[in-house]
Structures are given as structure tokens and as C-alpha cells.
Amino acid sequence: MIKVSVFYPNGAGAKFDMAYYLATHIPLVRQKLGGACKGIAVDQGIAGGSPGAPPTYMASGHLLFNSVEEFQSAFTPHAASIMGDIPNFASVQPIIQLSEVKL
Amino acid sequence: MIKVSVFYPNGAGAKFDMAYYLATHIPLVRQKLGGACKGIAVDQGIAGGSPGAPPTYMASGHLLFNSVEEFQSAFTPHAASIMGDIPNFASVQPIIQLSEVKL
């Protein structure tokens, strides 16, 4: 199983609309990716690791797929509409990472 | 539910021993945190979001707790032994983030 993580960096003035993300963006992603996407998780940053430290990421979304190939096949045809929705809820560009789920 | 994420940054010469992490560190964490820890996930970085880009993180671990307070109560008495094991498998200091699980 692979995980596509989309991290929205925190920073001065950075904004993230979690209500829009959950109500509009995630359903859009789910609809466009279809059955290739085996699961979706969403985290909202609370704090960093040191007392009083802010979170590194305002929010992150994590999508599960059977393989990198299945992710690419599902995502590529819809990349423009999915990525084009980002300015509707985030003032920053996300960091994207592909990982293998080990546990 | 809250998630404590521990991200190990990638970089020139950075090393991470996934075999040790899975066989020794995660069982240590599980034993020390006991029942307060409701779940553990481990990701191994494969790639970044652009073609040919390296992953931002070599690996990450994610621990679930009912609340920040339950995490702190479980972790604080064992912080030294858990954090002290990190040099046994990683050549870098991790970035730690607390998040609220929204989905």
C-alpha cells in the first residue's frame, strides 16, 4: 500500500479553510480518484513538539492506493481540477510526498 | 483523537534504519506508552511530488491518543528512553507535530 501525503506548511499569515477542505475538496478528490483511492485521512495541526511551538503543518491529507502506478493512473487525468481547487482553501502551496505504508 | 507525528527529514547523507525502527523502536514505544497509545502507523518515504524529486521525509511514525493530555501523561515519564533510542536508527533529529484527526 502506498500513501500520498499532502502537507500544507504553517507560517506567518498562512491560511487554511478546514471546513471547505472537508466539505468540498475531499469529496472532489474522492469523486475524481474513484475506486483507486482506498482510504483518506485528514489531520489538522495543533502544536509542534516543543512547549509553545506551532505545528509545522496547518493541515495534511493522506490518500491510500495499492501502488504508485494506480495512483498516477487515477490522478493524472484529474490533476488540473484537483490542484486547481487548492487556492479555494489554502494560501500556501503544499508539499507532496509518496510513502510506502510499513505499518 | 489526536495524532503525534514524528517526521525524519531527508537530506544529503541522512540515514534511517527501517528494520531497526520496526523491530526494536516501535515495540519499545508500544511497551512504554501502554494502552494510552491507540494505534501506530509507519511510512517510508519513496518520492516527492515532482518527477524525480526525493521525499521530504525518509520515514515517519504516527501515534494515536484520545487527547493531548493522555499523550503527555503516557509519554513524559518515558521521554528519555524513547528519545534516547533515536540515534540507534536515525542520523537526524525528527520534526514532531501534534494534530487533531479530522477524518
Side-chain angles (χ1 to χ4, degrees):
Chain A
M1 189 74 73
I2 70 131
K3 184 186 287 184
V4 178
S5 295
V6 184
F7 299 106
Y8 293 88
N10 201 1
K15 285 177 185 169
F16 188 91
D17 183 343
M18 181 58 79
Y20 181 99
Y21 189 68
L22 291 172
T24 303
H25 186 71
I26 292 295
L28 170 75
V29 168
R30 226 187 264 280
Q31 184 231 318
K32 297 291 188 190
L33 299 181
C37 180
K38 304 303 184 189
I40 300 184
V42 171
D43 302 326
Q44 182 163 35
I46 299 172
S50 310
T56 301
Y57 301 109
M58 297 186 286
S60 57
H62 311 278
L63 313 176
L64 294 173
F65 298 86
N66 282 332
S67 67
V68 173
E69 292 69 27
E70 289 192 18
F71 158 64
Q72 290 172 334
S73 297
F75 178 73
T76 304
H78 304 290
S81 64
I82 292 173
M83 302 304 280
D85 189 41
I86 293 177
N88 292 325
F89 60 86
S91 66
V92 296
Q93 279 300 304
I95 292 169
I96 297 172
Q97 160 144 2
L98 277 64
S99 299
E100 185 184 338
V101 175
K102 304 296 283 189
L103 182 68
Chain B
M1 188 75 72
I2 69 131
K3 184 185 287 183
V4 178
S5 295
V6 185
F7 299 106
Y8 293 88
N10 201 0
K15 286 179 186 168
F16 188 91
D17 183 343
M18 181 58 79
Y20 182 98
Y21 189 68
L22 290 172
T24 303
H25 186 70
I26 294 295
L28 170 75
V29 168
R30 226 187 265 280
Q31 183 231 318
K32 296 292 187 190
L33 299 181
C37 180
K38 303 304 183 189
I40 299 185
V42 171
D43 302 326
Q44 183 164 33
I46 299 172
S50 311
T56 302
Y57 301 109
M58 295 186 286
S60 57
H62 311 278
L63 313 176
L64 295 173
F65 297 86
N66 283 332
S67 67
V68 174
E69 293 68 28
E70 288 192 20
F71 159 63
Q72 289 171 333
S73 297
F75 178 72
T76 304
H78 304 289
S81 64
I82 291 173
M83 302 304 279
D85 189 42
I86 293 177
N88 292 326
F89 60 86
S91 66
V92 295
Q93 280 300 302
I95 292 170
I96 298 172
Q97 160 144 2
L98 277 64
S99 300
E100 184 184 338
V101 176
K102 304 295 283 188
L103 182 69

